[in-house]
Amino acid sequence: MESHNIQEPPRKRRRKAPASTSTYVFRPLLEDIDLAPEDHPAKVHITCVELWEDNLYIGTSAAEILHYVAIPSDPADDTASPSYIFASRLQPTVTSKSSPAPGVQQILVLPKVAKACILCNGTLTFYSLPELSPAFGNTVVSGCSWIGGENLNASDTEDDAGQIVMICIKSRIRLVRIGDEPRKIRNIEYPACLAVARRDNFACVADAHSYALLDVENQQKISLFPISSLDENAHGGQIEDISAKPESSRPSTGIGDPKGHGRSRSLGTFVSGLGRRSPQSRSQERSGGNTPEPGFRAASPLRPPQDRPRSDSVTGDASGRPSVSDKPLPPPPDRPSSQQGAQTAAPSLTNLIPHICSPTPGEFLLTTGTSPEEPGVGIFVNLEGDVVRGTLQFDRYPTSVVVDGSDANVALSSSGRGKLDETYVLASTTQNTDDGDRQVIEVRKADAENDDGNEHLDVPFPFEENSIEEVGTVGGHAKLRSILAETSASFPEVGDVLRLVRLRIPGTGTSQAHGSELPETAEKQREQEEKTFSRRLGSQSSRLVLWSGSSIWWIVRNPFVLRLDGAIDAAMESATGKSYPILQRGEVVRIVSSIRDYEANTETEFLTVKYIRQKTGIILFADTLTRSPSTSGITLAEVRAIEEQLVESGLDPRVLLSMLPIFGQEVVEGSQGVWVHEGLTWITEQYAHLRSHTSEQLRSEGPFRHAEWLNVVKRYLIAWRQRKGFGSIADEAEVFQSVDAAFLRLLLHQDSQHSPKSGIPSAARAELYSLVDSGVDCFDRAVTLLEQHQRLYVLSRLYQSRKLAGKVLETWQRIVEGETDAGNELRDGENEIRKYLAKIRDLSLIHKYGTWLARRNPELGVQVFADDNSRVKFIPQEVVHLLREQAPDAVKVYLEHLVFGKKKGQYANDLITYYLDSVLHVLESSEEAHSILAQSYESYRALHPPKPTYRQFIMDNALPVPWWQDRLRLLELLGGSHGANLSFDLTNILTRIEPYEEDLVPESIILDGRQGRHQQALRLLTHGLGDYHTAINYCLMGGASIFHPVSGSLTPPSEATKKEDQATLFRYLLSEFLAIEDANNRLERTSELLERFGGWYDVRSVLELIPESWSVELLEGFLAKALRDLVRERNEVVVVKALSSAQNLQVAAEMVEK
């Protein structure tokens, strides 16, 4: 068998109107067929249709068979359908005439044996395929009411000897094998059969009054229920032997099975009330819960039927239960005495057409009702005759019923879906409207137990003019049939919805992306590839046909994606005065829920679920942004649901970001562009107005505006960032550039809303730091955003993530120099720069920013070059040279670090020179400095003893000017306060300070002492400064130093310092003290000096120097101590002499003894 394509309407790039939401759609097969033969007086209509390979056979009410042959369509056009040309007109043999004559009643094609059985006006004839030439020697069967009963469970490989059919004649059913010739297998005593459906050995049959279940192998029957519930003469549940020969050698069935009796009661109770209940009561009494719409949830798998052996001994049904032949038959129920007599006359009943279908290998679907104008009921029975599952209710009793599902015909099924909720029951009925009756097709799900999945399809051609008279007749209604050949219907709309197209995003382009614009030829090539790919997505197979009058239509399942897409579009209502649709959120949420657990089995289903999730996610999100606060009614649970929907949909985040005013600028299309399902482009156009909204407008609208919805977008972007590295993401570079840029912008916006007065950093700030520290794909865009938002510190962290030390230092430099940093996050920036410089190895950066820091903060900048923990070690001479050129003010600090901190005396001369330059520069340029120094000398001399040393005095009264501090350090270095190992250029210093001897008295004193000019030094100490205490220390130290550490402790004299040198210095000092102008001061200082240090003086010399006018009392202390010393010395001399004489005598005696 081959598939046939159905002609499709022209393609559209974008669908403007909603698609059909119905489960089935109609496609024309042949329309306005010329049915009537020449000179035929009556109106002719189609009575039956069959399709085999390329041959279409149409039976008419004029007792003719029209044979059409398919002409293949253009192979290059996948969507084109074959055309049919008329081949022949056949008039089957008719042996009897009935009134009214129904014409061709059935066309049964047997493909395995290439034969056709045609039932026309009660006569059955046989023909060979495909030309319908007579077969079997023009064999005919008269008085036939039905031909069929082929095994629905049979596979293509079974029964190679032929095909078994059931021929229903007036008195019995004849089981016949059709092969090279028809061979009777057996007769089944069931007269006037009107319909048959068979599964292996079990056949469900019907006559004009009731249904029955037959075991065709064992010749047994179970009576079921009447076709009309008003027929009280039909009794269900009776089990009886219907073999033609009672004396058959087959084992007879047993008697006494109570099960049959119980089933009789259940079936009788179930059916007897059908005609006596109102439609409302019948609907209320049906079992089962709510059932979703077709295709909105995954199907429940149904077990396939078990293969049954062909032997007579063992058979079984699909459920594994033993068949009727495996168990004894129950005895027929005892009839009440009132029924043993003559039967009462049946009431006048309207004859209803029996309908038998088999939706699954273990079940039959039967219809019952009261009249054609009243509702009908579909009842499912299993192979044991028990009613199973819920019932189906039709608005009116159907004229034809078919089942569409993978299990309805195992031999013809190729899909193998095996899902019961994919099985549908279609019934042709009429519906009463204000304009009169109209033909409709009622669609019911086979497993539906309520009316939620019911649909009504209008027949696509007008009702016949005399339809009122024809209601209830064979030709007056649209008829349905499941034919032999399977057709393939192409739905290009599926490809139009699911194929990928480039989304044109206003305001974005490729300027942000790497690479150049996609060439036009390359874009067209991809579009063509997408079109080619999408063509194979919209194929649907079908065996259902519908005919009425002179037209035939295919009934094809509407693709899943078109049904859902149409339902979504139907939920979007256009609003007057609005540029965007108003959404029925409840309907969309229902659609989302229906596919939440859907398991896709094909590529088309997978793309469908993906597309629907993306579309519903977009419209729910966009609809929420368009609603006003008074009408939104959005709960937090809905927000979370939308968030989950967006994440699960796998939607390219650039699509959603392009719809938002805050993030639209962050979309990077790249050279390839953004490709989405074409069905989404229409949605983005519908909500294009969102792009024009400003952030302030969004903030003022809706309960979840701004804060909550930004959090939704944030979680959505976080979920996408977690997908980095997944190889399945198309355009990964551009996608994550857009995601990172949008995420950064969102965090910047959230952090800007946090009040800095609280002193507590916002949660967004921690997320912002984490984002930039981990690195972003949109580096250049991130730099631009951070610059625009004046977040320089965050920008520096971004540079750190890329190890761009130069950019980090440059950014910090900008912050320290006063450029606005909106976050105010860099505290103690200079110190941070110093720490960072100690961690890097780039010498050029250290030189650049170390000298910059030294110029700005010499104390801190010098630490860059002096830090022992720095990764780069510097040579002091090079640092001094660098600082002299780049940061002169820091040279002094660095030299102080070397001399005072590192105790490197070799740099003392440089430091002294620097101090001297500083002091002399001030003296040269400022008369005030001269006055300050002179005033300090005068003020110190004016102090009365006891008074501090001059050094202590100037330190306690230090001026807050640099040159004064430099002078103090200069005095420390020159005076030897930091050790005697400091060396400096004495000659150069003397030469430079010589012009300023009167201003730099302490310096001159120190230099005189260094030159050995101690008398001059003591003169300046005594008369220039009046620092008598320092003068005494000078003598004690042998002229080595006059300034000492702040603690005041004296350094003990070195061994080189001789007492004679001290005595000489004290004599010089005494001379200077005696020259003090102030008499009282002179007397006090001299008396104190002689009294404290008299031991260094000779009495005679002192007396020669003391003026004769001084009284002895003034020298009393000195003289008393001197005389005591003289007496002690004289006594010591006498003792020494005596000891020497005794020693001499001892030595002489020793010599004499020898």
Side-chain angles (χ1 to χ4, degrees), residues 135-168:
F136 308 139
N138 290 327
T139 301
V140 298
V141 178
S142 301
C144 183
S145 60
W146 182 268
I147 176 67
E150 62 270 36
N151 185 11
L152 298 179
N153 287 346
S155 64
D156 293 336
T157 59
E158 290 180 355
D159 205 358
D160 294 334
Q163 287 187 253
I164 299 176
V165 297
M166 300 176 71
I167 301 175
C168 303

Side-chain angles (χ1 to χ4, degrees), residues 190-195 205-212 221 223-236 271 274 344-356 366-370 397:
Y190 188 86
C193 180
L194 299 180
V205 296
D207 56 17
H209 300 281
S210 64
Y211 298 99
K221 181 184 76 170
S223 299
L224 298 179
F225 47 82
I227 301 172
S228 173
S229 58
L230 299 178
D231 190 351
E232 298 182 354
N233 294 325
H235 299 279
V271 177
L274 288 176
T344 59
S348 177
L349 300 176
T350 301
N351 290 332
L352 299 178
I353 302 173
H355 300 295
I356 304 175
L366 316 176
T367 59
T368 183
T370 56
Y397 191 85

